[in-house]
Amino acid sequence: MRVFPVLPPVPEPPHPDDPRRDLALDVVRSWSLLVVVLGHFIMLIVLWRPDGVPETGNTLTSGVPWPFVTWLLQVMPLFFIAGGAVNWRSNERFAGTYSQWLWQRVRRLMRPTLIYLAALAVIFTIVTLLVRRDVTDPYLQGVTGPLWFLAVYIPVTALTPATTAWWRHHGLASLAALAAAVVLVDALRLHVGETWGALNMVIAWTFVHQLGYWYRQGVPRFAAMCCLVGGLGVNVVLTQVLHWYPTSLVGIPTERFSNMAPPTVVLLCHSLVLFGLFSLLAPWLRRRFATPRMFRATARAGLFAMTVYLWHLTALILLTV
């Protein structure tokens, strides 16, 4: 019995002038994961103790300016924004069943993931048999970190039929409701118990995914500028004036909690900044990446982005060793 329906192979990327797709979304989906890879390569530090045992460190803990670098390198919300726009269109046009549609949306993510997990099972078994755990653990503990993305993106994608219906009926009010829910969960997390924050793994990323619906519907230039300036201004107040939240947009040991896992209202505002910037730059991206050379590079990056994202920490560890 087949668990997933058999679907035709993934087609070749269409011509950049194809009116059925938005090239700006292709650019974001192809390159945003690779920017995350670059950020991880910048962050990792390996320190060697006198007894030869390695310890991993984080560049972001090296000085005051480094947490602000995450305001430039934290681009994961762009992937969710683009995913929202593409998922809405795909769900509207798909003629099959819901399960067929969902597998179509996630199969390009899951196929390299299954290969990655099978390879890790073999690698972990061999390494733990041949090398002491006090040497291997600092390296191996973070290798599966990239999988958080799948654990969030797939459920948010699965909610697309419900969230698009919500958007069609309530529009921007749905974003306001989700933002209010994130603020409420933040208050419960900070004043009642840390475990409440787990709710924002779904609520906050659903908000970001919902921004893609707004983009697809059309964002006035003034509204995009308000998102950019307003989101940045709120984050400056929350992190630099009131000091209610850490500066870094990724989790680092020197901060009292993480803005990323689970997401806080600071990451929500950062998503608005990226959304506003992307909406303003989308026409330029369509023109710039429509050239044959840039379009081919974007298409290739899209084919290999997930594989590179999954394997980049393993590659970095092998390079360090």
Side-chain angles (χ1 to χ4, degrees), residues 19 33-34 40 43-44 47 50 66 78 131 134 142 149 163 168 185-186 195 237 243 257 293 316:
L33 289 182
L34 300 183
H40 286 167
M43 288 166 54
L44 181 64
L47 307 173
W66 280 103
L78 286 174
V131 186
D134 60 344
F149 163 72
T163 53
R168 283 191 293 266
V185 170
D186 265 9
T195 54
V237 171
H243 300 288
F257 60 90
R293 180 180 178 183
L316 180 57

Side-chain angles (χ1 to χ4, degrees), residues 158-286:
L159 292 173
T160 297
T163 53
T164 52
W166 192 19
W167 174 264
R168 283 191 293 266
H169 285 90
H170 300 286
L172 293 176
S174 64
L175 287 175
L178 288 168
V182 170
V183 173
L184 175 61
V185 170
D186 265 9
L188 292 172
R189 174 189 178 186
L190 297 177
H191 300 290
V192 178
E194 180 70 23
T195 54
W196 282 98
L199 293 173
N200 273 345
M201 292 298 289
V202 175
I203 299 173
W205 288 116
T206 299
F207 173 93
V208 182
H209 190 260
Q210 201 102 333
L211 288 174
Y213 304 162
W214 189 11
Y215 172 82
R216 183 175 179 270
Q217 181 177 289
V219 184
R221 185 176 179 85
F222 178 74
M225 293 184 66
C226 287
C227 288
L228 195 162
V229 176
L232 183 61
V234 171
N235 271 357
V236 169
V237 171
L238 291 177
T239 62
Q240 308 305 309
V241 178
L242 299 176
H243 300 288
W244 289 354
Y245 291 86
T247 298
S248 175
L249 292 174
V250 301
I252 57 177
T254 54
E255 301 284 13
R256 61 188 186 277
F257 60 90
S258 171
N259 281 316
M260 179 66 182
T264 65
V265 68
V266 168
L267 187 70
L268 217 66
C269 291
H270 180 66
S271 300
L272 286 173
V273 173
L274 295 178
F275 171 73
L277 185 62
F278 171 62
S279 299
L280 293 172
L281 293 180
W284 177 84
L285 291 173
R286 296 187 196 105

Side-chain angles (χ1 to χ4, degrees), residues 13 23 26-27 30-31 34 288-289 291-305:
L23 185 55
D26 290 336
V27 171
S30 298
W31 297 108
L34 300 183
R288 179 68 182 87
F289 285 84
T291 62
R293 180 180 178 183
M294 295 302 295
F295 179 74
R296 285 195 300 270
T298 299
R300 292 194 186 103
L303 290 174
F304 295 104

Side-chain angles (χ1 to χ4, degrees), residues 101-111 154 157:
W101 170 80
L102 184 59
W103 177 238
Q104 182 196 57
R105 298 311 305 160
V106 304
R107 62 180 177 175
R108 290 181 65 181
L109 301 176
M110 290 306 300
R111 283 172 176 169
I154 291 176
T157 298

